[in-house]
Amino acid sequence: MTTPTLDFDLTIRNGRISTDSTTFFADIGVREGVIVAIAKNLPKGKRDIDATDRWVLPGGIDSHCHVEQLSGMGMMCADDFYSATVSAAFGGTTTIIPFAAQHRGNQIPEVVASYAKLAAEKAVIDYGIHLILADPTEEALTTHLPAVIREGITSFKIYMTYDRMKLDDYQILDVLEVAGREGALVMVHAENNDMIRWIAKRLVERGLTAPKYHAVAHTPLAETEATNRAVALATLMDVPLLIVHVSGLEAVRVIHSAQALGLPIHAETCPQYLFLTAEDIDLPGTEGAKFCCSPPPRDPESQEAVWQGLINGTLQMFSSDHAPYRYDTSGKLPKGEATTFKDMANGVPGIEVRLPLLFSEGVLKERMSIERFVAVTATNHARTYGLYPRKGTIAVGSDADFAIWNPEKKVTISTSMLHDNVGYTPYEGKQITGWPEVVISAGRVVVENGSLHAERGSGRFIKRGTPEPVLRQRLSGNPNSIMRKYFS
Ligand code: URP
Ligand code: ZN
Ligand code: ZN
């Protein structure tokens, strides 16, 4: 606890504060966007917020969301930086890290510069940027990647699937090597492309084209195999790796086994794997398209394994993988009623309901502690992606990013209450308890009384430092590393 010495721009009073390790009652003093005091009975600020009976948590960090981005299938997201960040803020998230997507033939510096411009013009909360890397040419590996890492883009996502995005194993080794050398983190979409392609072709030939066959084509084995292979490739290169959007029981087991061997294999999951199953996709006509993402929601056993993995630490992060596509020809139904599961945009929205869903069903239903909630929704993202301790915690010196939760508020999720531009939610009608009523970004009250109080373009680009994946310190890595022995 620190004793205040000067006036505060903002004081948050009497709140029940949680970090990833502790919960306590105190006031928080904020000056120039930064927390400058945490103590009881702080003097009044220029603005005082009474948080009696409220839970004051670090603002969420959503480190996996797709915003104003062209997908691997060539479809543009329905959310731009304005609608996505407004929606994020209303759901208690104060920092997002979406993707500047390189497609084959694109030059990384141009991709990043144009994406950064879109964000700077529209974002209402702070943001970092990851790179999606689809064309690891010699120039990209030796010049462009090191340059963007120096600019604070210290993580990049690669794909093992999608014909237009996927890297082969040799390319993945190249990328891992650069990441290891330059201190960046590789995030991998782990699904076996040929398994999916092979099954999908035969399903379509037999006329089995409804959305539910998306989950058949994206067999859990495709995820298990690719996860296993990604772990092997990272082990060979002796670098940390992050497996994104983990959905299946076997994938969780592969990750857990790697960690048990001391390998720094990190993993993330998303609301669709905790709150949906493959049954939700089985709807008449094309309606199931609203639930199709890759990997798809699985069976109840996998759903439970993902819950357990998030609770017990096998999975360190809970992100939205918000992939906003409208239920029309711009996204989910490019061929109208004739759209097959192969044609539709992959992905589900979730940037606004990510935190409320987990708060209600995880914390209030006593499946996870509030400290674990803070870890998987904020702190672990900050550490893993080089934002800590500036973001992801409540501490003197950290940015004043808060979500002030009413833990008793009853909410029925509906499209009409959300602020994205998608036009549906897979969670329509779900009743939850708890909502972040006041949201503060760098000391600015951006959401209060159900209204937005932030200007377009007021969010800041946050240059990220070297990722410190949360398992790196705990796990020792590969003792027989060929990289260490021959190539370091
Ligand atoms: O289906 C999904 N998850 N779409 C978004 C793109 C990705 O692979 O994360
Ligand atoms: Zn992905
Ligand atoms: Zn994604």
Side-chain angles (χ1 to χ4, degrees):
M1 301 277 174
T2 306
T3 311
T5 50
L6 292 166
D7 297 340
F8 304 125
D9 299 330
L10 170 69
T11 307
I12 301 168
R13 208 170 281 295
N14 304 321
R16 178 188 192 270
I17 300 167
S18 291
T19 67
D20 68 335
S21 58
T22 185
T23 295
F24 55 96
F25 288 85
D27 302 341
I28 301 172
V30 172
R31 195 178 321 118
E32 292 175 4
V34 173
I35 300 171
V36 291
I38 303 174
K40 299 238 182 204
N41 304 317
L42 288 178
K44 257 183 169 324
K46 287 182 198 131
R47 167 93 206 262
D48 247 42
I49 294 179
D50 182 9
T52 305
D53 298 330
R54 297 291 182 263
W55 295 13
V56 182
L57 306 183
I61 299 176
D62 195 344
S63 61
H64 186 162
C65 49
H66 301 271
V67 176
E68 213 160 343
Q69 180 215 309
L70 209 53
S71 76
M73 293 168 70
M75 274 133 165
M76 181 42 88
C77 289
D79 278 315
D80 67 6
F81 267 94
Y82 185 71
S83 59
T85 55
V86 169
S87 187
F90 272 96
T93 290
T94 53
T95 306
I96 63 167
I97 317 180
F99 300 89
Q102 181 204 33
H103 295 262
R104 290 188 190 136
N106 293 165
Q107 293 286 307
I108 291 170
E110 278 98 76
V111 168
V112 169
S114 62
Y115 199 64
K117 184 165 179 293
L118 297 174
E121 285 163 357
K122 298 176 208 155
V124 304
I125 55 173
D126 291 350
Y127 57 90
I129 296 177
H130 310 283
L131 180 70
I132 285 175
L133 184 62
D135 201 1
T137 60
E138 191 62 27
E139 188 184 31
L141 293 167
T142 55
T143 310
H144 295 158
L145 274 183
V148 294
I149 293 167
R150 283 195 298 275
E151 286 167 26
I153 298 176
T154 52
S155 45
F156 22 95
K157 181 175 176 187
I158 57 170
Y159 287 82
M160 298 171 85
T161 190
Y162 295 129
D163 290 337
R164 294 204 266 177
M165 305 299 278
K166 75 179 281 286
L167 305 189
D168 63 28
D169 293 354
Y170 195 98
Q171 291 173 309
I172 294 173
L173 291 173
D174 275 344
V175 173
L176 289 167
E177 187 194 15
V178 174
R181 195 177 52 235
E182 304 287 336
L185 181 65
V186 176
M187 312 154 74
V188 63
H189 178 135
E191 287 188 288
N192 180 308
N193 196 51
D194 287 335
M195 284 188 189
I196 296 167
R197 236 168 30 100
W198 197 95
I199 303 169
K201 180 166 183 289
R202 279 150 187 82
L203 287 169
V204 172
E205 279 167 3
R206 286 161 176 72
L208 305 176
T209 60
K212 69 175 176 183
Y213 294 106
H214 172 79
V216 178
H218 286 252
T219 168
L221 260 180
E223 184 188 28
T224 312
E225 186 285 323
T227 303
N228 205 27
R229 185 155 39 99
V231 168
L233 297 173
T235 306
L236 178 65
M237 302 316 283
D238 201 24
V239 295
L241 183 71
L242 172 60
I243 315 279
V244 294
H245 45 50
V246 174
S247 67
L249 168 80
E250 295 295 341
V252 175
R253 284 196 186 140
V254 168
I255 292 158
H256 181 75
S257 303
Q259 292 166 355
L261 290 171
L263 304 172
I265 303 300
H266 300 75
E268 162 213 82
T269 194
C270 316
Q272 46 272 36
Y273 310 118
L274 296 187
F275 301 106
L276 302 176
T277 66
E279 253 186 37
D280 290 300
I281 311 178
D282 191 1
L283 293 174
T286 50
E287 195 70 15
K290 295 175 182 173
F291 299 83
C292 282
C293 50
S294 298
R298 308 283 190 195
D299 58 17
E301 288 72 35
S302 280
Q303 190 184 47
E304 182 54 27
V306 172
W307 265 107
Q308 287 308 322
L310 193 63
I311 293 163
N312 70 25
T314 306
L315 313 175
Q316 299 80 41
M317 275 169 285
F318 182 68
S319 310
S320 69
D321 192 7
H322 181 73
Y325 299 105
R326 294 181 66 82
Y327 188 61
D328 61 24
T329 51
S330 70
K332 290 294 185 183
L333 304 176
K335 298 182 183 165
E337 286 301 303
T339 301
T340 74
F341 73 86
K342 282 303 285 171
D343 308 315
M344 66 197 179
N346 284 196
V348 294
I351 204 165
E352 190 163 342
V353 293
R354 172 183 72 119
L355 299 180
L357 280 169
L358 191 66
F359 186 89
S360 174
E361 305 306 295
V363 178
L364 295 186
K365 293 203 171 152
E366 299 187 352
R367 296 202 75 174
M368 84 174 34
S369 68
I370 186 63
E371 292 84 6
R372 183 75 191 147
F373 173 89
V374 170
V376 301
T377 59
T379 319
N380 288 353
H381 302 251
R383 288 187 199 277
T384 301
Y385 292 110
L387 290 169
Y388 190 83
R390 178 171 180 184
K391 302 279 185 195
T393 193
I394 296 179
V396 170
S398 297
D399 281 359
D401 295 342
F402 312 107
I404 304 181
W405 290 73
N406 177 349
E408 288 175 359
K409 185 166 172 148
K410 304 274 181 218
V411 175
T412 302
I413 295 176
S414 69
T415 307
S416 59
M417 61 177 276
L418 300 176
H419 299 81
D420 62 32
N421 191 30
V422 178
Y424 63 83
T425 166
Y427 312 102
E428 187 74 40
K430 190 168 176 61
Q431 297 184 331
I432 58 170
T433 307
W435 197 266
E437 287 182 331
V438 180
V439 180
I440 297 169
S441 165
R444 300 172 298 139
V445 177
V446 291
V447 172
E448 193 177 28
N449 298 325
S451 301
L452 181 75
H453 302 274
E455 293 299 315
R456 190 180 276 268
S458 56
R460 305 167 300 179
F461 170 69
I462 308 292
K463 184 173 170 176
R464 293 182 290 120
T466 305
E468 280 192 34
V470 287
L471 299 177
R472 197 202 281 266
Q473 302 86 342
R474 266 205 289 127
L475 303 179
S476 50
N478 172 11
N480 304 314
S481 163
I482 290 178
M483 286 305 286
R484 261 188 251 169
K485 209 160 157 193
Y486 297 111
F487 306 126
S488 60

